[in-house]
């Protein structure tokens, strides 16, 4: 790849793979707006999205649809409008953020979590919604009416079943190999239940696109705050698109080498180089319409295993 400036890299990326406006709005709310209280005036959102080629009409259509789908809620104050994350949607934003920014540290204890439905316990709409949510959460359908995962989060599963409305209609249990009985290794369920080729290709493509950027930022002059914001947003948006399709299997059950580990380290390094300058742009934009916008919440600084406050150009919680 030819040597580029940061401006040229951004322009080339947006020309070759422009993000869809609705999906980009979701990325921006999760990455940039949620840590500042989860609400933003429409004018500020328009300003933040302008560098991505998202015009006023596209943005209004996107936020309207996200409000219809139960992600955002609209509020009016005279002639001005604002949008905020719907309280009921906060757990899903938080769960997605944990997946995106958390270190890859799940280890296998030899057990599986199984979710089983009895005959006729749930109706067709519930079954379709349950399947969609379970697959999104990384579970595999091991057999008809049976989902499984080797590294399940009990709290996440509890919230998911409650949201779908089937919490008291299913059996949830832990399973392990029976000692002394010859059988196929439980590890083989990974090969039967998950096709990881799409995730592998996604991570490899992410590394190919963003790897040269890390070298560029290491040798280039200082970024402007808006450039840092655009790069950080494109980074999270691209990483999120792959990572949210990753079933998050334990390290011991993944192919070796696993490109997700390299993609995570790359995303972490790029985020560390851009987040503070990006925050300067975000705060300046938000406070042009509302000087009471809160500073970053403490949880922000736990992203990617902890954002170092003493790195060049970074802003630590203590210095805010």
């Amino acid at each position: 790849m030819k040597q580029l400036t940061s401006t040229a890299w951004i322009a080339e990326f947006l020309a070759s793979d422009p993000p869809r406006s609705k999906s980009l709005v979701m990325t921006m709310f999760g990455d940039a707006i949620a840590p500042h209280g989860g609400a933003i005036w429409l004018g500020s959102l328009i300003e933040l999205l302008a560098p991505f080629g998202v015009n006023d009409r596209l943005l209004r259509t996107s936020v309207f649809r996200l409000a219809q789908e139960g992600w955002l809620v609209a509020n009016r104050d005279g002639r001005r409008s604002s949008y905020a994350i719907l309280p009921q949607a906060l757990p899903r934003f938080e769960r997605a953020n944990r997946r995106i920014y958390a270190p890859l540290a799940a280890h296998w204890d030899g057990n599986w979590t199984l979710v089983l439905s009895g005959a006729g316990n749930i109706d067709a709409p519930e079954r379709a919604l349950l399947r969609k949510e379970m697959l999104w959460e990384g579970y595999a359908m091991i057999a008809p009416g049976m989902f499984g995962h080797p590294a399940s989060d009990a709290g996440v599963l509890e919230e998911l079943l409650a949201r779908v409305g089937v919490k008291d209609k299913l059996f949830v249990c832990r399973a392990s190999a029976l000692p002394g009985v010859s059988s196929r290794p439980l590890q083989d369920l990974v090969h039967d239940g998950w096709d990881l080729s799409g995730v592998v290709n996604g991570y490899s493509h992410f590394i190919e696109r963003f790897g040269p950027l890390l070298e560029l930022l290491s040798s280039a002059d200082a970024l402007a705050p808006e450039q840092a914001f655009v790069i950080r947003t494109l980074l999270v948006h691209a990483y999120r698109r792959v990572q949210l399709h990753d079933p998050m299997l334990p390290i011991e059950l993944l192919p070796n080498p696993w490109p997700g580990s390299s993609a995570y380290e790359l995303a972490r390094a790029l985020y560390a180089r851009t987040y503070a300058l990006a925050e300067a742009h975000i705060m300046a934009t938000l406070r042009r319409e509302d000087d009471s916008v809160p500073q970053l919440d403490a949880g922000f600084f736990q992203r990617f295993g902890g954002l170092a406050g003493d790195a060049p150009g970074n802003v630590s919680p203590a210095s805010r």
Side-chain angles (χ1 to χ4, degrees):
M1 180 178 179
K2 63 181 182 296
Q3 184 66 28
L4 295 173
T5 64
S6 300
T7 301
W9 185 92
I10 291 170
E12 185 177 278
F13 189 98
L14 290 174
S16 63
D17 189 17
R20 293 184 299 111
S21 59
K22 179 182 167 187
S23 181
L24 186 62
V25 170
M26 284 288 284
T27 295
M28 194 167 294
F29 264 91
D31 183 65
I33 309 305
H36 291 285
I40 185 173
W41 291 103
L42 182 60
S44 297
L45 190 55
I46 290 171
E47 186 175 346
L48 287 176
L49 284 163
F52 302 92
V54 179
N55 60 35
D56 189 335
R57 180 183 60 81
L58 280 174
L59 175 57
R60 291 176 186 274
T61 300
S62 297
V63 293
F64 175 76
R65 288 177 178 171
L66 289 170
Q68 281 188 317
E69 293 171 9
W71 292 101
L72 304 178
V73 59
N75 297 289
R76 293 196 64 85
D77 182 8
R79 299 180 63 181
R80 295 199 305 166
S81 298
S82 67
Y83 284 86
I85 297 173
L86 194 69
Q88 294 90 323
L90 273 174
R92 300 187 73 183
F93 272 96
E94 292 167 356
R95 189 166 75 249
N97 283 350
R98 284 197 300 271
R99 288 187 56 168
I100 293 168
Y101 304 113
L104 306 176
H107 290 279
W108 194 43
D109 62 3
N111 290 296
W112 285 69
T113 296
L114 301 179
V115 179
L116 305 90
S117 62
N121 281 349
I122 58 177
D123 58 31
E126 289 175 332
R127 188 177 298 108
L129 181 57
L130 175 66
R131 184 177 187 276
K132 176 183 175 182
E133 292 291 333
M134 295 294 284
L135 295 179
W136 188 91
E137 197 55 49
Y139 283 76
M141 182 173 283
I142 296 174
M146 178 188 295
F147 297 92
H149 197 285
S152 173
D153 183 313
V156 170
L157 180 59
E158 176 92 359
E159 188 273 332
L160 184 157
L161 298 179
R163 186 175 68 251
V164 175
V166 295
K167 182 178 175 181
D168 299 322
K169 300 180 180 181
L170 302 171
F171 301 100
V172 180
C173 58
R174 298 276 281 169
S176 60
L178 188 63
V181 177
S182 178
S183 63
R184 288 181 66 188
L186 282 176
Q187 289 96 322
D188 287 1
L189 282 175
V190 171
H191 303 291
D192 294 342
W194 288 271
D195 178 3
L196 297 175
S197 59
V199 179
V200 168
N201 291 337
Y203 279 134
S204 298
H205 182 65
F206 173 84
I207 294 168
E208 179 183 341
R209 293 299 305 272
F210 285 87
L213 178 61
L214 181 59
E215 182 179 348
L216 173 61
L217 295 185
S218 299
S219 59
D221 294 334
L223 290 171
E226 185 179 73
Q227 287 179 314
F229 166 72
V230 172
I231 289 173
R232 175 179 133 182
T233 304
L234 291 175
L235 168 73
V236 173
H237 188 68
Y239 184 65
R240 167 180 171 265
R241 285 167 61 186
V242 183
Q243 207 277 336
L244 292 183
H245 288 90
D246 187 334
M248 303 300 288
L249 300 175
I251 294 169
E252 293 82 1
L253 302 182
L254 291 170
N256 187 22
W258 175 241
S261 300
S262 299
Y264 175 84
E265 292 302 326
L266 175 60
R268 182 177 185 272
L270 286 168
Y271 204 86
R273 282 166 169 77
T274 56
Y275 83 87
L277 280 171
E279 279 304 314
H281 178 69
I282 293 167
M283 285 298 290
T285 303
L286 296 180
R287 289 196 165 175
R288 272 193 280 277
E289 284 200 275
D290 184 359
D291 59 11
S292 66
V293 170
Q295 291 278 8
L296 287 167
D297 61 42
F300 176 88
F301 293 92
Q302 303 306 312
R303 292 179 173 183
F304 289 108
L307 298 171
D310 57 356
N314 286 356
V315 180
S316 68
S319 65
R320 290 178 289 147

